[in-house]
């Protein structure tokens, strides 16, 4: 790599248990998924440049047909806005906290292979990789605590109207498998949750199932959040039960009680479905979960829809049945690869 060039990779993330209670002062267990990633490269430059991606930020089209088809499959937004937003949030944070930054300039570019709208946190992967580049370029990694960095990633996304919680950003900044508590007391007192890394080798083999043309993951929290804020008892008690699944899941994982883990995963999806309803969850997402359940596997969303995480407690023979069921339904199945923790690098 050329002198002064900084490159960081940030992986997709899977919410294993407790999501979406991270938005409701709950608890979650998540891990970073090394099957997919985003990379951001920072090069020293005479001008400050945010480089558009040749595919994801396309502005030249062969025809009107091409333009419309591209928008229908990829949406209006690429990654340029994400890189700009984290630059702004990083700069403002450093200014507010009297962290001095040198005046040298840079060019930022990105690439990603994370499937779009699959509930795998593709946007925050780009943002967290870019934040790591900025921390190294300005040599301020020691001045911005690791617990705070997920907040910066989330702030950048909030600038752009992306609806999300801290869970995804914690999983991507920390890497590996992480148990997270977001109690109101911690959030008010510390400004962040309590994040406990766990050994990735405690997990059984897992599989990812996703659709090639999934739903939009950004609209899913909306009505439930309002009902929760309005004091809806059903939503408040059900969301608290979802948060408890992560607490019980932590024990199950530590004890390698995988039948309990399967039960908790299934319960997580059933509780989500009871709160959000089938119209919000979407027929395609339900079909994915049911494809796994049809063969006796446990399954739930990785995020807000578009992909599911599956555990086959009966081993390889059940995996074969899962693959066959998903092939018939037109879904993709991949064995999960869990990324190592990032914490050793600071």
């Amino acid at each position: 790599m050329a002198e002064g060039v900084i490159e960081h990779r940030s992986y997709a993330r899977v919410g294993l248990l407790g999501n979406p209670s991270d938005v409701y002062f709950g608890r979650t267990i998540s891990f970073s998924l090394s099957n997919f990633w985003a990379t951001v490269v920072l090069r020293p430059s005479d001008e400050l440049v945010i480089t558009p991606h040749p595919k994801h930020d396309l502005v030249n089209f062969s025809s009107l047909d091409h333009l419309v088809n591209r928008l229908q499959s990829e949406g209006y937004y690429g990654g340029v806005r994400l890189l700009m937003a984290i630059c702004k949030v990083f700069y403002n944070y450093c200014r507010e906290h009297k962290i001095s930054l040198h005046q040298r300039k840079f060019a930022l570019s990105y690439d990603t292979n994370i499937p779009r709208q699959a509930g795998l946190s593709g946007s925050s992967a780009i943002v967290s990789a870019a934040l790591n580049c900025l921390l190294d370029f300005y040599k301020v990694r020691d001045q911005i605590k690791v617990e705070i960095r997920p907040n910066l990633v989330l702030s950048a996304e909030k600038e752009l109207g992306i609806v999300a919680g801290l869970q995804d950003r914690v999983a991507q900044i920390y890497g590996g498998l992480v148990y997270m508590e977001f109690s109101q007391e911690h959030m008010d007192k510390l400004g962040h949750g309590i994040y406990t890394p766990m050994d990735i080798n405690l997990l059984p083999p897992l599989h990812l199932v996703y659709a090639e043309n999934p739903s939009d993951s950004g609209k899913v929290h909306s009505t439930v959040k309002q009902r929760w804020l309005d004091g809806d008892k059903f939503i408040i008690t059900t969301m608290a039960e979802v948060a408890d699944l992560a607490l019980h899941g932590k024990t199950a994982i530590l004890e390698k009680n995988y039948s309990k883990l399967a039960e908790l995963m299934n319960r997580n999806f059933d509780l989500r479905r009871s709160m959000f309803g089938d119209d919000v969850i979407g027929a395609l997402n339900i079909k994915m979960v049911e494809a796994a359940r049809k063969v006796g596997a446990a399954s739930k969303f990785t995020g807000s829809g578009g992909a599911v995480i599956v555990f086959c407690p009966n081993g390889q023979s059940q995996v074969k049945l899962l693959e066959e069921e998903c092939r018939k339904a037109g879904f993709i199945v991949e064995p999960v690869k869990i990324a190592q923790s990032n914490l050793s690098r600071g």
Side-chain angles (χ1 to χ4, degrees), residues 22-23 85-86 89 124 127-128 131 148-170 173 182 187:
D22 58 312
V23 192
I86 190 60
V89 165
S124 55
V127 179
S128 55
L131 175 61
I148 295 296
R149 294 174 206 163
N151 297 39
L152 300 186
V153 175
L154 185 59
S155 295
E157 293 181 276
K158 283 185 170 170
E159 287 267 323
L160 304 168
I162 294 170
V163 179
L166 273 168
Q167 158 188 242
D168 309 359
R169 291 90 205 142
V170 174
I173 292 290
F182 300 98
M187 297 299 286

Side-chain angles (χ1 to χ4, degrees), residues 36-55:
F36 303 110
W37 60 86
T39 50
V40 173
V41 176
L42 183 153
R43 289 181 168 82
S45 171
D46 294 336
E47 294 181 327
L48 203 157
V49 180
I50 308 294
T51 311
H53 190 279
K55 179 184 172 209

Side-chain angles (χ1 to χ4, degrees), residues 101-174:
L101 302 176
H102 61 69
Q103 295 301 305
R104 295 191 294 281
K105 300 184 187 76
F106 57 84
L108 273 184
S109 60
Y110 78 98
D111 198 5
T112 180
N113 62 12
I114 300 173
R116 287 179 66 86
Q117 306 298 358
L120 293 169
S121 295
S123 295
S124 55
I126 294 169
V127 179
S128 55
L131 175 61
N132 274 318
C133 288
L134 294 170
L135 293 172
D136 288 347
F137 181 67
Y138 289 102
K139 295 186 169 53
V140 293
R141 191 171 282 277
D142 60 332
Q143 295 179 68
I144 301 178
K145 286 196 312 179
V146 70
E147 296 89 343
I148 295 296
R149 294 174 206 163
N151 297 39
L152 300 186
V153 175
L154 185 59
S155 295
E157 293 181 276
K158 283 185 170 170
E159 287 267 323
L160 304 168
I162 294 170
V163 179
L166 273 168
Q167 158 188 242
D168 309 359
R169 291 90 205 142
V170 174
Q172 288 168 325
I173 292 290
Y174 278 62

Side-chain angles (χ1 to χ4, degrees), residues 90-107:
F90 172 79
Y91 173 82
N92 285 341
Y93 180 88
C94 290
R95 199 164 62 167
E96 281 164 32
H97 292 83
K98 308 282 189 291
I99 298 169
S100 62
L101 302 176
H102 61 69
Q103 295 301 305
R104 295 191 294 281
K105 300 184 187 76
F106 57 84

Side-chain angles (χ1 to χ4, degrees), residues 138-276:
Y138 289 102
K139 295 186 169 53
V140 293
R141 191 171 282 277
D142 60 332
Q143 295 179 68
I144 301 178
K145 286 196 312 179
V146 70
E147 296 89 343
I148 295 296
R149 294 174 206 163
N151 297 39
L152 300 186
V153 175
L154 185 59
S155 295
E157 293 181 276
K158 283 185 170 170
E159 287 267 323
L160 304 168
I162 294 170
V163 179
L166 273 168
Q167 158 188 242
D168 309 359
R169 291 90 205 142
V170 174
Q172 288 168 325
I173 292 290
Y174 278 62
L177 176 68
V178 189
Y179 170 72
M180 313 172 200
E181 296 186 66
F182 300 98
S183 75
Q184 189 155 13
E185 182 193 351
H186 294 324
M187 297 299 286
D188 290 347
K189 187 172 149 194
L190 306 171
H192 57 79
I194 303 291
Y195 311 135
T196 309
M198 297 178 72
D199 180 358
I200 63 173
N201 298 308
L202 291 168
L203 286 179
L206 298 166
H207 285 76
L208 183 74
V209 174
Y210 62 99
E212 287 194 270
N213 299 300
S215 63
D216 178 355
S217 67
K219 301 187 177 77
V220 173
H221 297 307
S222 52
T223 58
V224 168
K225 185 68 183 265
Q226 195 53 54
R227 286 164 67 193
W228 185 81
L229 291 168
D230 291 343
D232 182 314
K233 281 197 169 58
F234 170 71
I235 296 296
I236 288 168
T237 55
T238 309
M239 198 60 80
E241 192 181 338
V242 171
D244 284 345
L245 297 177
L247 186 62
H248 300 316
K250 183 187 179 192
T251 304
I253 291 166
L254 290 171
E255 293 174 353
K256 293 193 174 183
N257 183 347
Y258 297 144
S259 58
K260 182 67 174 174
L261 177 64
E263 183 190 310
L264 295 169
M265 287 172 68
N266 281 330
R267 184 77 181 136
N268 204 145
F269 177 75
D270 294 342
L271 291 172
R272 175 190 273 273
R273 190 175 185 178
S274 73
M275 289 186 287
F276 287 90

